[in-house]
């Protein structure tokens, strides 16, 4: 489609033409590196998440539906239809709260997008180069829609990862399946018919883990059925009853198409701590105070936590009952960071939640609003000792952010810590080596076989 000849093209039509034209050569080195770093991180997190309760249930459900064994269930020995593999792997990759995050801490790229791209890549025995293009398209689509819809989308109670992730997964699958521009327009319309996901997900249940699953599955469904000839609304974004009108009170539709003629910049952040991203600043404050002052934890009487209004009213539960609740609890996360000097998955084990000292420290946290803090995730923490001594730290850019990044060695250490306990050192090394050289992988199924115990790459 030549957009210069179609000035009245809808947003979906403009995006479809843009993504259909995207190819490997148009991806710069910086984009390729960013996408590969995220691929390594996603696979590590998904392997670990596959061993959790939500991951195991999702895998069992995927297999219970039957169908052709088209794609691997990460961390297990079975294969499932592409749609169901995307569903289960998306849930696994969101089940230890270590998945990536965007710069505004609103959504996770990889659970919906990477799960859909990998499942459809296996379905058609695609190459590593094809995979990178699919990942790039899906991530760009997801972030463009988030920028157009937020923060109103979030403030109305919708979870950005599944709502916008459905469209990202759709474009990733559409690119992988080779849809035409017209088919891609229909796929986007059909993605809108399936978009959803609520922020009513915090609590002792597994619900938060579920949200990326339908998004990834629905993206594969939208692309697949559009390719078979099912048509969808071309006005799905800007229409009178379209996505932006339905999901937001304030929106910026121009952000969906601005800069389409320029290389897209992927600002992907990574999580060193096993909890919700807006809590990471508070953890970094606690770790800084611990390192700098080594306070006697028994003598901390109060912990003042000033937060930006964007996130001040979230994550306040000081008495989590399960690790699901603990991973979205700022008070508990601060307490365990002060106590252990880290906040990995082990720190959120259910057995830790009732420890008296952690309970006391969590109860000492007082959250207040400070509109002068510079960023939505900014935190300023003050630990007040019994003798009145005050220890203060402020963190605006948490570890893993663009401004305070995890380097390649740190990402690899994170990956190894997640994969080796499940698949062993030899397999972890093979996966990392394959990801590093993914451009030369002739069949993505070779990579995915390495993610399954007892399986070997097809080229081996």
């Amino acid at each position: 489609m030549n957009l210069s000849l179609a000035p009245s093209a809808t947003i979906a039509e403009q995006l479809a033409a843009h993504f259909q034209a995207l190819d490997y050569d148009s991806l710069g080195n910086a984009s390729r590196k960013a996408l590969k770093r995220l691929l390594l991180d996603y696979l590590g997190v998904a392997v670990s998440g596959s061993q959790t309760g939500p991951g195991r249930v999702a895998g069992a459900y995927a297999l219970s539906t039957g169908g052709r064994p088209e794609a691997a269930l990460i961390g297990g020995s079975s294969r499932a239809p592409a749609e169901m593999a995307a569903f289960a792997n998306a849930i696994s990759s969101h089940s230890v709260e270590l998945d990536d995050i965007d710069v505004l801490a609103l959504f996770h790229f990889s659970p919906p997008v990477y799960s859909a791209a990998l499942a459809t890549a296996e379905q058609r025995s695609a190459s590593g180069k094809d995979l990178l293009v699919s990942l790039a398209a899906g991530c760009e689509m997801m972030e463009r829609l988030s920028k157009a819809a937020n923060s109103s989308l979030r403030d109305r109670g919708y979870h950005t990862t599944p709502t916008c992730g459905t469209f990202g997964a759709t474009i990733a699958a559409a690119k992988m399946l080779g849809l035409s521009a017209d088919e891609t327009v229909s796929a986007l319309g059909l993605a809108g018919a399936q978009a959803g996901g609520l922020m009513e997900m915090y609590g002792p249940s597994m619900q938060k883990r579920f949200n990326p699953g339908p998004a990834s599955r629905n993206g594969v469904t939208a692309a697949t059925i559009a390719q078979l000839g099912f048509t969808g609304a071309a006005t799905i974004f800007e229409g009178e009853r379209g996505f932006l009108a339905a999901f937001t009170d304030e929106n910026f539709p121009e952000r969906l198409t601005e800069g389409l003629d320029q290389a897209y910049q992927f600002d992907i952040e990574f999580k060193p701590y096993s909890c919700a991203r807006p809590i990471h600043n508070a953890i970094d404050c606690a770790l800084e105070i611990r390192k700098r002052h080594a306070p006697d934890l028994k003598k901390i009487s109060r912990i003042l936590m000033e937060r930006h209004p964007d996130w001040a009213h979230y994550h306040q539960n000081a008495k989590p009952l399960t690790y699901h609740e603990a991973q979205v609890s700022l008070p508990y996360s601060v307490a365990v960071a002060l106590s252990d000097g880290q906040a990995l998955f082990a720190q959120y084990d259910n057995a830790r939640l009732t420890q008296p000292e952690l309970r006391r420290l969590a109860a000492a946290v007082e959250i207040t609003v400070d509109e002068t803090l510079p960023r939505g995730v900014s935190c300023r923490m003050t630990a007040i000792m019994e003798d009145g001594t005050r220890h203060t730290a402020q963190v605006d850019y948490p570890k893993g952010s663009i401004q305070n990044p995890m380097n390649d060695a740190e990402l690899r250490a994170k990956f190894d810590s997640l994969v080796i306990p499940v698949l062993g050192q030899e397999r972890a090394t093979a996966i990392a080596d394959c990801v590093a050289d993914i451009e030369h992988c002739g069949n993505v199924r070779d990579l995915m076989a390495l993610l399954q115990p007892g399986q070997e790459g097809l080229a081996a």
Side-chain angles (χ1 to χ4, degrees):
M1 179 183 298
N2 186 339
L3 293 183
S4 65
L5 301 178
S8 60
T10 68
I11 290 174
E13 289 167 343
Q14 294 177 62
L15 290 170
H18 166 68
F19 288 123
Q20 191 192 34
L22 187 68
D23 59 21
Y24 179 78
D25 291 334
S26 64
L27 297 179
N29 288 333
S31 293
R32 294 171 189 168
K33 180 175 181 180
L35 294 165
K36 288 163 66 173
R37 277 166 56 88
L38 181 51
L39 179 58
L40 183 73
D41 194 71
Y42 164 84
L43 293 175
V45 174
V47 167
S48 181
S50 71
Q51 307 303 298
T52 65
R56 291 184 186 279
V57 173
Y61 172 70
L63 294 176
S64 75
T65 62
R68 290 179 294 180
E70 297 173 318
L73 297 180
I74 293 174
S77 58
S78 302
R79 298 173 64 80
E83 290 178 349
M84 298 312 301
F87 174 88
N89 291 337
I91 290 175
S92 289
S93 66
H94 192 51
S95 288
V96 290
E97 280 293 349
L98 281 166
D99 40 336
D100 65 275
I101 199 77
D102 73 300
V103 294
L104 298 178
L106 290 167
F107 68 86
H108 307 273
F109 287 99
S110 65
V113 172
Y114 275 54
S115 302
L118 286 165
T120 49
E122 284 202 85
Q123 187 182 42
R124 62 176 295 262
S125 298
S127 70
K129 284 186 176 181
D130 291 337
L131 176 64
L132 285 177
V133 176
S134 173
L135 298 176
C139 288
E140 179 180 342
M141 177 68 249
M142 187 176 184
E143 186 165 47
R144 283 184 177 277
L145 186 53
S146 175
K147 289 178 176 178
N150 274 308
S151 58
S152 179
L153 179 81
R154 187 273 313 273
D155 292 343
R156 286 190 62 184
Y158 292 110
H159 188 193
T160 303
T161 297
T163 50
C164 297
T166 301
F167 291 89
T170 295
I171 287 296
K175 193 66 183 173
M176 185 59 71
L177 296 175
L179 268 62
S180 69
D182 287 343
E183 290 169 339
T184 302
V185 171
S186 286
L188 286 170
L190 298 170
Q194 303 175 88
L198 299 175
M199 290 287 281
E200 186 58 37
M201 59 189 182
Y202 299 121
S205 76
M206 298 177 180
Q207 183 151 333
K208 185 176 188 294
R209 318 303 175 199
F210 182 81
N211 278 359
S216 193
R217 178 196 61 204
N218 292 348
V220 177
T221 298
T224 302
I225 199 167
Q227 190 176 43
L228 292 172
F230 207 108
T231 59
T235 54
I236 194 63
F237 295 113
E238 72 273 35
E240 181 182 358
R241 300 173 185 84
F243 181 88
L244 294 176
F247 283 83
T248 70
D249 297 310
E250 179 184 26
N251 53 71
F252 311 92
E254 69 279 1
R255 294 178 181 174
L256 275 160
T257 56
E258 63 186 7
L260 284 179
D261 58 342
Q262 303 167 15
Y264 198 78
Q265 180 174 324
F266 295 101
D267 290 330
I268 302 167
E269 300 193 343
F270 296 92
K271 294 171 70 173
Y273 313 128
S274 186
C275 61
R277 180 56 156 191
I279 298 174
H280 285 214
N281 294 60
I283 292 173
D284 280 335
C285 286
L287 294 178
E288 183 177 338
I289 289 172
R290 187 179 193 271
K291 179 179 179 180
R292 187 189 304 166
H293 303 289
D296 183 343
L297 302 187
K298 292 182 173 55
K299 295 183 179 180
I300 294 177
S301 61
R302 298 171 65 199
I303 299 173
L304 305 182
M305 186 64 68
E306 298 165 274
R307 302 186 77 189
H308 189 279
D310 277 3
W311 286 106
H313 303 294
Y314 291 81
H315 315 120
Q316 295 189 3
N317 180 9
K319 296 180 179 180
L321 300 178
T322 69
Y323 77 88
H324 301 293
E325 283 190 302
Q327 287 178 307
V328 290
S329 165
L330 183 149
Y332 177 83
S333 297
V334 166
V336 80
L338 286 170
S339 172
D340 291 21
Q342 56 188 4
L344 300 175
F345 195 49
Q347 273 69 51
Y348 292 90
D349 186 270
N350 287 339
R352 301 292 308 276
L353 306 185
T354 56
Q355 290 184 356
E357 185 61 13
L358 292 179
R359 282 278 182 135
R360 189 191 72 80
L361 287 170
V365 175
E366 304 171 25
I367 299 173
T368 61
V369 178
D370 185 346
E371 296 181 354
T372 69
L373 289 169
R375 301 187 69 229
V377 293
S378 293
C379 288
R380 183 187 301 114
M381 172 179 160
T382 301
I384 303 176
M385 310 303 292
E386 290 178 349
D387 64 2
T389 301
R390 301 167 73 95
H391 303 305
T392 299
Q394 178 173 328
V395 173
D396 300 317
Y397 297 99
K399 181 64 176 177
S401 64
I402 300 300
Q403 295 79 5
N404 183 17
M406 294 177 70
N407 60 35
D408 289 347
E410 290 170 327
L411 273 182
R412 177 58 187 274
K414 174 186 172 182
F415 170 84
D416 284 345
S417 73
L418 296 169
V419 175
I420 290 173
V422 181
L423 299 176
Q425 177 68 68
E426 183 177 353
R427 190 63 67 93
T429 299
I431 295 166
D433 288 347
C434 187
V435 169
D437 196 36
I438 194 66
E439 298 94 334
H440 298 103
C441 177
N443 189 337
V444 172
R445 290 183 66 188
D446 291 349
L447 168 63
M448 298 306 290
L450 295 171
L451 277 295
Q452 296 196 294
Q455 303 294 318
E456 298 295 339
L458 298 179

